[in-house]
Amino acid sequence: MTRIFGLLAAALCGTAGLAGAETPVERGEYLVRGPMGCGNCHTPTGPDGPEMDKEFTGTLIWDGPDFTAWSANITPAGEIAGWSDAELARAIREGIRPDGSLIGPPMPFTFYRHLSDTDLAAVVAFLRTLPAIPSDNPKSEYRIPLPPAYGPPVEHVADIPRGPTAEYGAYLAGPVAHCLECHTPMGPEGPMIETDLGRGGFEFPGPWGVSVAANITSSEDGLAHYSDDQIKRMITEGIGAEGEPLRPPMPFPYLAKMTPGDLDAVVAYLRTLPPLPDAQ
C-alpha cells in the first residue's frame, strides 16, 4: 500500500513545475465528481436534487430485506479523518476498515479492486481537501452474512494508458464508473460478471418507482441499434433514443462531466461486449 503513496508523491513532484499539468488532486476531483459518481451514493438527495451543502456526508442508499445501508461521511468530519491515507485507500479498494471490519454492499468492491494505484491515490488526495461537514447517520444493518473479504489483498494495479480506446473504456466502465455492476444481474455472490456481463435486468426501487437496468451488450436486445451519439446522450443526459427521459439511479449528472475522449472510450468498449439477450 505504501507503493501507492510513493507514486502519489512522485506525481506531485513531477507536476509541480509544469504549468497546466494535471495534479493528483485535480485527477481525484475529476474521478470523484465525474465518472465515479461518488456523490450519487454519498450525498443526500432532497426534492430538488442533491443537497450540495451536505455533499459527501452520507445518506440512506438501500433499505431492503437483506440489509439497510447508509453510506459513510467521506468528508474529513467522518471516521476517515482518523485513518491514514493507506488505510483509506484499502477501505476504498478492498472494503476493509483499519479495525479489520468489512464494509458491506452496495459499495462496488468487485470493480474498485481494479482501480489503478495512481487513480486510487488521486481519489484519496482529493477527499482530504473536502470541507469537514458533520453528519449523524446510523450504522448500516446487514441481515445476511458478509464474506470474510472480497478477495486476496491487492498489491499493485498498473495504469491503463488513457485514450479513446476500448481498453481504456473497459477501465472507465468497470473499475471507475462501475457501470457493469448495475447493468449485470446479481447472483448469490454479487454481479454475475463471468456469465452475464452487461445483460441488465437488475431492479432498483426508489421514489421514481422501479428502474430496471438496461441491457448494454452489443446484442439486438442491447445497443446494436443505437448510434454512438444516441448512447452518449443516454449516458450523459439521461435521454433515450426516442427522446424519453431515463430514470435514476443512473448518475447522469456525474457522467455528464466525462471528457469527450473518455466518453468515446466507454462507447468503444460497450461495442465489444459479447451479445447477450435480456435477462429473464
Side-chain angles (χ1 to χ4, degrees):
M1 190 61 70
T2 55
R3 175 186 174 89
I4 297 173
F5 296 96
L7 288 169
L8 173 57
L12 285 166
C13 292
T15 59
L18 300 177
E22 180 188 55
T23 68
V25 170
E26 289 169 340
R27 173 67 174 173
E29 179 174 14
Y30 169 70
L31 292 171
V32 170
R33 287 185 168 144
M36 286 181 74
C38 300
N40 204 43
C41 287
H42 286 273
T43 297
T45 300
D48 300 320
E51 299 178 8
M52 298 310 291
D53 60 327
K54 300 177 182 177
E55 187 182 26
F56 302 127
T57 59
T59 188
L60 176 66
I61 50 173
W62 190 269
D63 189 11
D66 291 337
F67 57 87
T68 300
W70 287 79
S71 58
N73 183 334
I74 55 174
T75 79
E79 64 177 327
I80 70 168
W83 300 357
S84 70
D85 287 354
E87 288 171 336
L88 177 53
R90 188 186 188 206
I92 293 170
R93 189 152 72 177
E94 299 184 45
I96 300 174
R97 299 183 182 91
D99 64 3
S101 62
L102 202 70
I103 299 170
M107 270 285 280
F109 298 114
T110 301
F111 295 94
Y112 279 177
R113 290 176 59 80
H114 303 286
L115 285 171
S116 75
D117 293 352
T118 49
D119 277 350
L120 180 60
V123 167
V124 170
F126 170 65
L127 292 180
R128 297 302 195 195
T129 72
L130 293 172
I133 306 174
S135 61
D136 185 21
N137 299 324
K139 292 186 178 297
S140 298
E141 296 181 12
Y142 292 93
R143 295 173 284 278
I144 54 173
L146 297 180
Y150 295 107
V154 181
E155 299 297 335
H156 169 60
V157 181
D159 290 332
I160 301 295
R162 298 190 210 175
T165 65
E167 180 187 23
Y168 189 55
Y171 175 70
L172 292 171
V176 173
H178 49 275
C179 310
L180 278 304
E181 179 182 54
C182 291
H183 287 274
T184 298
M186 288 286 175
E189 298 180 1
M192 300 165 63
I193 59 176
E194 299 296 329
T195 58
D196 292 72
L197 188 67
R199 194 175 197 168
F202 192 64
E203 296 185 354
F204 295 88
W208 51 81
V210 177
S211 295
V212 180
N215 184 331
I216 57 172
T217 73
S218 55
S219 74
E220 296 295 310
D221 288 342
L223 302 178
H225 296 297
Y226 298 124
S227 69
D228 288 0
D229 285 342
Q230 286 174 320
I231 296 171
K232 292 175 183 179
R233 194 180 185 200
M234 293 175 189
I235 292 171
T236 61
E237 299 180 44
I239 298 174
E242 304 300 325
E244 73 279 13
L246 305 181
R247 295 189 289 182
M250 183 82 169
F252 309 113
Y254 300 95
L255 298 176
K257 297 177 182 178
M258 294 176 68
T259 65
D262 283 1
L263 193 55
D264 285 341
V266 169
V267 174
Y269 167 65
L270 294 179
R271 296 295 194 194
T272 72
L273 287 178
L276 292 172
D278 282 347
Q280 300 299 321

